[in-house]
Amino acid sequence: MLLASAVVVWEWLNEHGRWRPYSPAVSHHIEAVVRAGPRAGGSVVLGQVDSRLAPYIIDLQSMNQFRQDTGTLRPVRRNYYDPSSAPGKGVVWEWENDNGSWTPYDMEVGITIQHAYEKQHPWIDLTSIGFSYVIDFSTMGQINRQTQRQRRVRRRLDLIYPMVTGTLPKAQSWPASPASAASPAAPPCSCPQCVLVMSIKAAVADGGTGLLQPPAARKNMPPPGAVKLPPQPGPGAKPLDSTGTVRGPVKTVPSQAIRRQASSTPAGVTAGSPASPPGTNGKTGRVALATLNRTNLQRLAIAQSRVLIASGVPTVPVKNLNGSSPVNPALAGITGILMSAAGLPVCLTRPPKLVLHPPPVSKSEIKSIPGVSNTSRKTTKKQAKKGKTPEEVLKKYLQKVRHPPDEDCTICMERLTAPSGYKGLQPTVKPDLVGRLSRCGHIYHIYCLVAMYNNGNKDGSLQCPTCKTIYGVKTGTQPPGKMEYHLIPHSLPGHPDCKTIRIIYSIPPGIQGPEHPNPGKSFSARGFPRHCYLPDSEKGRKVLKLLLVAWDRRLIFAIGTSSTTGESDTVVWNEVHHKTEFGSNLTGHGYPDANYLDNVLAELAAQGISEDSTAQEKD
């Protein structure tokens, strides 16, 4: 599209399908490499500008971010925004996470917040862009519409993102322009990663397949301009399936197949002109490779690797190299990326496998948990206690202040010596009355506290908006369902000396009640039954008992907008993390995780659930 000017923001795709922005400094660094063209090498070492990103390298040919120590690849993109928006002014909006550090919002969200801020709106509801949050500019807080949980937000100034002008395509490839390729060569970077990249690319550009293949194998290699396809199936073979796996016995010997392939390549397979000499640089071969769709590329790569392995030709693994040197993973990963882009054979080692569930368990192997009664709990919809007005409920937690201090009420941001500035529904209390919460001592307009209570779950509890101290018993809006729990005879990674507690949550879809975001509207329940796992240790059983209290208080789930799919009016987790991977930790929701049990105990405590709560439930 044609724009007079725009700001460029480089972004990466996270595991939830959200595009997350790199910082302005990192975007400037990437943009400088893009504008330098091929003379810069086509790879960006992010650790050169931000030490926290030392393991990461961006390959501009494939538009992927590569992590050297794990081999993880994530897509990246070069996105454009209006220069008058937040990134064009150097404005960054961030929210405070559970660790006390600050996390930037997605660029789309930050731009929306900044626009409302510039219009001097008192608040902005993010529901329209798929997030169940309200940003209150008077308190600089983020409020969860379902749970009423508040987090601090902040607005800070940073570098302005890089600016571009002229005609900008939706997806710009590398190099950025033909002119950049003709630019004079700049002195190359001397860091180990860049030296490695340039040496490999030089070998590929020179047709240096000898760098990667032994002399015996070099005889059977096709000209550099040719793209190799897997051998044709013999009479007893079945075609490749969608994953590139040969189904059924193949009578053709792989070593014979590769020799036949080299000596009798079909005319349509040769990427270059039939008259092209063997010494050509193979650029046309890369063009032909680019014409293959994703499925055919997968078939080509997998089948080619299988043939090379069977014929004894050495290949380059992308990860799992032995040794402690940080150069080894970088060597394997960058070599794999560059060889794949050049159409050369690459053998990928198998990535770690996601293990969501344990091996099959018979009914006789499932046991009850010692010290925990029953093996299941059900919840039904609870009604708020009747007969007590909000004023009567709050009276238990407040002490009237006759001479309030000359400071702000952090709910309405008016002085405590002046009447409340809240303009919502009219509580039956005077707007100038002030009260102190009995345990934490924070002072507010009673009028504001009543209004806040009316906007919540109205369950007889109150949570201090400043320090989060809970008064009474906090309950949630979890829809009806069932929680099952028992022992299975398998161990979790990191807990080899104990069995495993398996929890199964089952919640059916239904109709939202008056306490939910959209009363009378149906809600979905995706992914149920959900299986979760705890080690059968002393601390694991403690966590289970507190999770049972949270379940009874309807605090495990809520109805809201899924952060993974963006679907609204669906059952979502309610800020108490669970482990849903049994034998791996690829998504961060599995084991081993040495800090998980302590973290979940802290999350439960933030919901007002501790060891004292189990005694209260018995009473």
Short mmCIF file of all heavy atoms in Angstrom, two decimals, residues 322-356:
data_model
loop_
_atom_site.label_atom_id
_atom_site.label_comp_id
_atom_site.label_asym_id
_atom_site.label_seq_id
_atom_site.Cartn_x
_atom_site.Cartn_y
_atom_site.Cartn_z
N ASN A 322 26.60 -32.66 21.20
CA ASN A 322 27.27 -32.80 22.49
C ASN A 322 28.27 -31.66 22.69
O ASN A 322 28.78 -31.08 21.75
CB ASN A 322 28.01 -34.14 22.55
CG ASN A 322 27.06 -35.31 22.52
OD1 ASN A 322 25.97 -35.22 23.08
ND2 ASN A 322 27.45 -36.39 21.88
N GLY A 323 28.55 -31.37 23.94
CA GLY A 323 29.52 -30.34 24.24
C GLY A 323 28.88 -29.17 24.94
O GLY A 323 27.69 -28.93 24.83
N SER A 324 29.71 -28.41 25.68
CA SER A 324 29.20 -27.30 26.47
C SER A 324 29.40 -25.97 25.80
O SER A 324 28.92 -24.95 26.28
CB SER A 324 29.90 -27.28 27.84
OG SER A 324 31.31 -27.17 27.68
N SER A 325 30.11 -25.91 24.69
CA SER A 325 30.39 -24.63 24.05
C SER A 325 29.12 -24.05 23.44
O SER A 325 28.37 -24.76 22.77
CB SER A 325 31.43 -24.82 22.94
OG SER A 325 31.54 -23.64 22.17
N PRO A 326 28.86 -22.74 23.66
CA PRO A 326 27.67 -22.13 23.08
C PRO A 326 27.74 -22.02 21.57
O PRO A 326 26.75 -21.76 20.92
CB PRO A 326 27.64 -20.75 23.73
CG PRO A 326 29.06 -20.47 24.12
CD PRO A 326 29.64 -21.79 24.49
N VAL A 327 28.91 -22.22 20.97
CA VAL A 327 29.03 -22.14 19.52
C VAL A 327 28.41 -23.36 18.87
O VAL A 327 27.88 -23.30 17.77
CB VAL A 327 30.50 -21.99 19.10
CG1 VAL A 327 30.63 -21.97 17.58
CG2 VAL A 327 31.08 -20.72 19.69
N ASN A 328 28.41 -24.51 19.54
CA ASN A 328 27.90 -25.73 18.93
C ASN A 328 26.44 -25.63 18.51
O ASN A 328 26.11 -25.92 17.36
CB ASN A 328 28.11 -26.93 19.85
CG ASN A 328 29.53 -27.47 19.75
OD1 ASN A 328 30.29 -27.07 18.88
ND2 ASN A 328 29.90 -28.35 20.65
N PRO A 329 25.52 -25.23 19.40
CA PRO A 329 24.13 -25.08 18.96
C PRO A 329 23.99 -24.04 17.86
O PRO A 329 23.19 -24.19 16.95
CB PRO A 329 23.39 -24.68 20.24
CG PRO A 329 24.27 -25.12 21.36
CD PRO A 329 25.66 -25.00 20.85
N ALA A 330 24.77 -22.95 17.97
CA ALA A 330 24.69 -21.91 16.93
C ALA A 330 25.15 -22.48 15.59
O ALA A 330 24.54 -22.22 14.56
CB ALA A 330 25.55 -20.72 17.33
N LEU A 331 26.25 -23.24 15.60
CA LEU A 331 26.77 -23.85 14.37
C LEU A 331 25.72 -24.75 13.74
O LEU A 331 25.43 -24.64 12.55
CB LEU A 331 28.03 -24.66 14.69
CG LEU A 331 28.57 -25.57 13.57
CD1 LEU A 331 28.97 -24.71 12.39
CD2 LEU A 331 29.73 -26.38 14.07
N ALA A 332 25.12 -25.62 14.56
CA ALA A 332 24.13 -26.55 14.02
C ALA A 332 22.91 -25.81 13.50
O ALA A 332 22.43 -26.07 12.40
CB ALA A 332 23.73 -27.55 15.10
N GLY A 333 22.39 -24.87 14.29
CA GLY A 333 21.16 -24.18 13.91
C GLY A 333 21.32 -23.32 12.68
O GLY A 333 20.54 -23.39 11.74
N ILE A 334 22.37 -22.48 12.67
CA ILE A 334 22.55 -21.58 11.53
C ILE A 334 22.89 -22.38 10.28
O ILE A 334 22.41 -22.08 9.19
CB ILE A 334 23.66 -20.55 11.84
CG1 ILE A 334 23.24 -19.69 13.04
CG2 ILE A 334 23.91 -19.66 10.64
CD1 ILE A 334 24.31 -18.75 13.51
N THR A 335 23.70 -23.42 10.43
CA THR A 335 24.03 -24.26 9.28
C THR A 335 22.76 -24.88 8.70
O THR A 335 22.56 -24.89 7.48
CB THR A 335 25.01 -25.38 9.69
OG1 THR A 335 26.19 -24.79 10.23
CG2 THR A 335 25.39 -26.24 8.49
N GLY A 336 21.89 -25.37 9.59
CA GLY A 336 20.65 -25.97 9.11
C GLY A 336 19.77 -24.98 8.37
O GLY A 336 19.23 -25.28 7.31
N ILE A 337 19.65 -23.76 8.91
CA ILE A 337 18.84 -22.73 8.26
C ILE A 337 19.39 -22.39 6.88
O ILE A 337 18.67 -22.33 5.89
CB ILE A 337 18.77 -21.47 9.15
CG1 ILE A 337 17.94 -21.77 10.41
CG2 ILE A 337 18.16 -20.30 8.39
CD1 ILE A 337 17.97 -20.63 11.42
N LEU A 338 20.72 -22.15 6.82
CA LEU A 338 21.32 -21.72 5.56
C LEU A 338 21.30 -22.83 4.51
O LEU A 338 21.02 -22.59 3.34
CB LEU A 338 22.75 -21.25 5.81
CG LEU A 338 22.90 -20.03 6.74
CD1 LEU A 338 24.36 -19.70 6.95
CD2 LEU A 338 22.16 -18.84 6.15
N MET A 339 21.58 -24.06 4.94
CA MET A 339 21.58 -25.17 3.98
C MET A 339 20.18 -25.42 3.44
O MET A 339 19.99 -25.69 2.26
CB MET A 339 22.12 -26.43 4.65
CG MET A 339 23.62 -26.36 4.94
SD MET A 339 24.18 -27.78 5.89
CE MET A 339 23.82 -29.10 4.74
N SER A 340 19.18 -25.30 4.32
CA SER A 340 17.80 -25.50 3.88
C SER A 340 17.41 -24.44 2.87
O SER A 340 16.78 -24.71 1.85
CB SER A 340 16.86 -25.48 5.08
OG SER A 340 15.53 -25.62 4.66
N ALA A 341 17.78 -23.18 3.15
CA ALA A 341 17.45 -22.08 2.24
C ALA A 341 18.13 -22.27 0.89
O ALA A 341 17.60 -21.86 -0.15
CB ALA A 341 17.86 -20.75 2.86
N ALA A 342 19.32 -22.88 0.89
CA ALA A 342 20.06 -23.09 -0.36
C ALA A 342 19.66 -24.36 -1.08
O ALA A 342 20.18 -24.66 -2.16
CB ALA A 342 21.56 -23.11 -0.05
N GLY A 343 18.75 -25.14 -0.52
CA GLY A 343 18.33 -26.38 -1.16
C GLY A 343 19.27 -27.53 -0.92
O GLY A 343 19.21 -28.53 -1.63
N LEU A 344 20.17 -27.43 0.06
CA LEU A 344 21.12 -28.50 0.35
C LEU A 344 20.53 -29.47 1.37
O LEU A 344 19.62 -29.11 2.13
CB LEU A 344 22.42 -27.90 0.90
CG LEU A 344 23.16 -26.98 -0.08
CD1 LEU A 344 24.35 -26.34 0.61
CD2 LEU A 344 23.63 -27.76 -1.31
N PRO A 345 21.02 -30.71 1.41
CA PRO A 345 20.42 -31.71 2.32
C PRO A 345 20.70 -31.39 3.79
O PRO A 345 21.83 -31.11 4.17
CB PRO A 345 21.10 -33.01 1.90
CG PRO A 345 22.39 -32.58 1.27
CD PRO A 345 22.10 -31.29 0.58
N VAL A 346 19.66 -31.41 4.57
CA VAL A 346 19.77 -31.19 6.02
C VAL A 346 19.01 -32.30 6.73
O VAL A 346 17.87 -32.60 6.38
CB VAL A 346 19.18 -29.82 6.42
CG1 VAL A 346 19.29 -29.62 7.92
CG2 VAL A 346 19.88 -28.69 5.69
N CYS A 347 19.62 -32.90 7.72
CA CYS A 347 18.95 -33.92 8.52
C CYS A 347 18.58 -33.32 9.86
O CYS A 347 19.45 -32.97 10.64
CB CYS A 347 19.85 -35.14 8.72
SG CYS A 347 19.12 -36.38 9.82
N LEU A 348 17.30 -33.15 10.11
CA LEU A 348 16.85 -32.58 11.37
C LEU A 348 16.71 -33.68 12.41
O LEU A 348 16.07 -34.69 12.17
CB LEU A 348 15.50 -31.89 11.18
CG LEU A 348 15.43 -30.80 10.10
CD1 LEU A 348 14.03 -30.24 10.03
CD2 LEU A 348 16.42 -29.70 10.40
N THR A 349 17.31 -33.48 13.57
CA THR A 349 17.06 -34.43 14.65
C THR A 349 15.64 -34.22 15.14
O THR A 349 15.08 -33.15 15.02
CB THR A 349 18.03 -34.20 15.82
OG1 THR A 349 17.89 -32.86 16.27
CG2 THR A 349 19.45 -34.44 15.40
N ARG A 350 15.05 -35.24 15.69
CA ARG A 350 13.66 -35.15 16.11
C ARG A 350 13.51 -34.18 17.28
O ARG A 350 14.25 -34.26 18.24
CB ARG A 350 13.14 -36.52 16.52
CG ARG A 350 13.00 -37.47 15.35
CD ARG A 350 12.24 -38.71 15.74
NE ARG A 350 12.01 -39.57 14.60
CZ ARG A 350 11.27 -40.67 14.64
NH1 ARG A 350 10.70 -41.04 15.77
NH2 ARG A 350 11.09 -41.40 13.56
N PRO A 351 12.53 -33.28 17.22
CA PRO A 351 12.31 -32.36 18.33
C PRO A 351 11.72 -33.11 19.52
O PRO A 351 11.18 -34.21 19.36
CB PRO A 351 11.31 -31.35 17.77
CG PRO A 351 10.57 -32.12 16.72
CD PRO A 351 11.57 -33.07 16.13
N PRO A 352 11.81 -32.53 20.72
CA PRO A 352 11.19 -33.17 21.88
C PRO A 352 9.70 -33.37 21.63
O PRO A 352 9.04 -32.53 21.03
CB PRO A 352 11.45 -32.16 23.00
CG PRO A 352 12.62 -31.36 22.55
CD PRO A 352 12.53 -31.29 21.07
N LYS A 353 9.19 -34.47 22.10
CA LYS A 353 7.79 -34.82 21.87
C LYS A 353 6.91 -34.32 23.01
O LYS A 353 7.26 -34.44 24.18
CB LYS A 353 7.65 -36.34 21.73
CG LYS A 353 6.26 -36.80 21.34
CD LYS A 353 6.21 -38.31 21.18
CE LYS A 353 4.82 -38.78 20.78
NZ LYS A 353 4.76 -40.26 20.66
N LEU A 354 5.78 -33.73 22.65
CA LEU A 354 4.81 -33.28 23.64
C LEU A 354 4.13 -34.49 24.26
O LEU A 354 3.57 -35.33 23.55
CB LEU A 354 3.77 -32.38 22.96
CG LEU A 354 2.70 -31.79 23.87
CD1 LEU A 354 3.30 -30.75 24.80
CD2 LEU A 354 1.59 -31.15 23.03
N VAL A 355 4.19 -34.62 25.58
CA VAL A 355 3.58 -35.74 26.29
C VAL A 355 2.52 -35.17 27.24
O VAL A 355 2.84 -34.73 28.35
CB VAL A 355 4.63 -36.57 27.08
CG1 VAL A 355 3.95 -37.76 27.75
CG2 VAL A 355 5.73 -37.04 26.16
N LEU A 356 1.29 -35.15 26.78
CA LEU A 356 0.22 -34.55 27.58
C LEU A 356 -0.30 -35.50 28.65
O LEU A 356 -0.65 -35.08 29.75
CB LEU A 356 -0.94 -34.12 26.68
CG LEU A 356 -0.69 -32.93 25.76
CD1 LEU A 356 -1.91 -32.68 24.88
CD2 LEU A 356 -0.38 -31.69 26.58
#
